[in-house]
Amino acid sequence: MDRHNALGEFLTARRALVTPADVGLPADASRRVPGLRREEVAVLAGVSTDYYIRLEQGRERNPSQQVLEALARALCLDEAATLHMLRIGLPAPRLPGTTTAAVAPALQQLLEQMHGVPAFVVGPGQDILAANAVAQTLYRGFARFDNLLRMIFLDPYAREFYADWDNAAAVAVRNLRAATAVPDRRTDQVVDALTSRSPAFAALWARYEVRPRTNDDKHFHHPDVGEIRLHFEMFSVASAPGQHLSVYNAPPSTADAEKLTLLAGLSANATGNAQPQSSHS
């Protein structure tokens, strides 16, 4: 992924998503570009057209926070997208430390003790670094349980497994886009691989939509338990920056809870809780 002009690419993509009606401008039948024109964004943000063009082209690399916030309002960005733009547009000190693909033994032990719910650890680029038996049983229809993005976009089974594949794909890409505000080599590798191999990913990625995901409701079609709806929560691993613990659950005394219990029973017959191999897509 080319990060040389991340802010300019973001502005260009998001400008194309805003219609004149969104910002109170009259419709124009002669309009030849999707979304807003550069000069329209400049007027709405209170900057010169030349300055805005230089921002998009990467010739201006030191915008103020005030300018970026004005552009966020002009482009109708929500809080998550605004924060993302500030992160890529403002210089920030690099924090010490690097992400790691090694899961701490204590965290691995915790996963193995969670017998009733699917739980797994995700690293940069959405690699699956470790998973308990219930999680492996939940995802058993995939050829490999190794990287959530690769599974969604490159494994045909994903379109059977996710009841609403289009939504699952869009959510995953928005979440990945949020992670790119902090440069990470593994995430760049995943983006490059999927952009070249999946037109669906490339189209969603080009929209520059941002939405970090910390919880969600999932609807799956599982080969053993049928339709099941689970609630997803993600927790940052404080001792390992870049790693997150993902856990699924279901409300008690529901049909989904019963199916989750059945899934856990099936997983109890699995031999061991082997750590999945990380795939560099």
Side-chain angles (χ1 to χ4, degrees):
M1 182 175 58
D2 186 358
R3 300 186 62 89
H4 75 285
N5 186 23
L7 176 61
E9 292 173 355
F10 179 85
L11 291 172
T12 302
R14 295 309 299 252
R15 174 166 61 85
L17 298 179
V18 184
T19 67
D22 291 334
V23 293
L25 294 176
D28 182 356
S30 65
R31 185 176 295 270
R32 293 177 297 174
V33 297
L36 299 179
R37 300 184 178 99
R38 288 169 168 173
E39 56 267 28
E40 291 170 336
V41 176
V43 169
L44 290 168
V47 300
S48 71
T49 300
D50 177 69
Y51 180 81
Y52 179 76
I53 290 174
R54 286 189 282 118
L55 279 177
E56 277 203 4
Q57 294 177 344
R59 294 186 290 119
E60 171 56 60
R61 296 183 177 272
N62 296 293
S64 68
Q65 181 169 336
Q66 182 180 10
V67 165
L68 292 177
E69 289 174 346
L71 288 170
R73 291 190 293 270
L75 296 171
C76 305
L77 301 185
D78 61 16
E79 183 178 355
T82 299
L83 180 58
H84 179 82
M85 186 172 68
L86 290 173
R87 285 175 172 167
I88 62 176
L90 295 175
R94 296 299 298 273
L95 299 177
T98 57
T99 57
T100 175
V103 175
L107 182 54
Q108 181 73 53
Q109 183 180 27
L110 175 63
L111 286 176
E112 295 169 358
Q113 292 174 344
M114 299 173 75
H115 303 298
V117 295
F120 51 94
V121 178
V122 177
Q126 297 294 288
D127 285 328
I128 308 298
L129 305 180
N132 68 1
V134 192
Q136 294 181 48
T137 301
L138 176 64
Y139 286 94
R140 76 168 185 82
F142 287 91
R144 301 199 308 273
F145 183 30
D146 56 357
N147 180 282
L148 290 174
L149 272 299
R150 186 205 64 78
M151 292 159 62
I152 290 173
F153 287 97
L154 299 183
D155 193 319
Y157 174 69
R159 293 182 180 268
E160 301 177 31
F161 180 68
Y162 293 99
D164 186 347
W165 182 90
D166 289 335
N167 180 67
V171 167
V173 172
R174 293 180 196 130
N175 181 61
L176 188 68
R177 175 63 76 180
T180 62
V182 179
D184 173 78
R185 184 174 64 180
R186 176 56 186 149
T187 300
D188 289 350
Q189 290 173 342
V190 171
V191 170
D192 288 344
L194 291 177
T195 299
S196 64
R197 299 172 64 187
S198 169
F201 175 87
L204 287 169
W205 188 251
R207 292 177 64 85
Y208 279 75
E209 294 180 327
V210 182
R211 176 80 53 183
R213 179 189 59 189
T214 57
N215 60 77
D216 200 2
D217 292 313
K218 301 288 189 178
H219 184 187
F220 303 127
H221 290 299
H222 192 271
D224 297 316
V225 302
E227 290 194 18
I228 182 170
R229 291 173 171 83
L230 299 174
H231 182 72
F232 159 83
E233 290 283 346
M234 185 178 72
F235 307 91
S236 297
V237 180
S239 60
Q243 292 185 11
H244 299 88
L245 172 64
S246 298
V247 182
Y248 290 109
N249 205 349
S253 303
T254 63
D256 293 312
E258 294 177 0
K259 292 180 179 181
L260 184 56
T261 299
L262 175 59
L263 197 69
L266 294 171
S267 71
N269 297 323
T271 56
N273 297 315
Q275 178 173 319
Q277 297 297 313
S278 177
S279 168
H280 293 264
S281 302

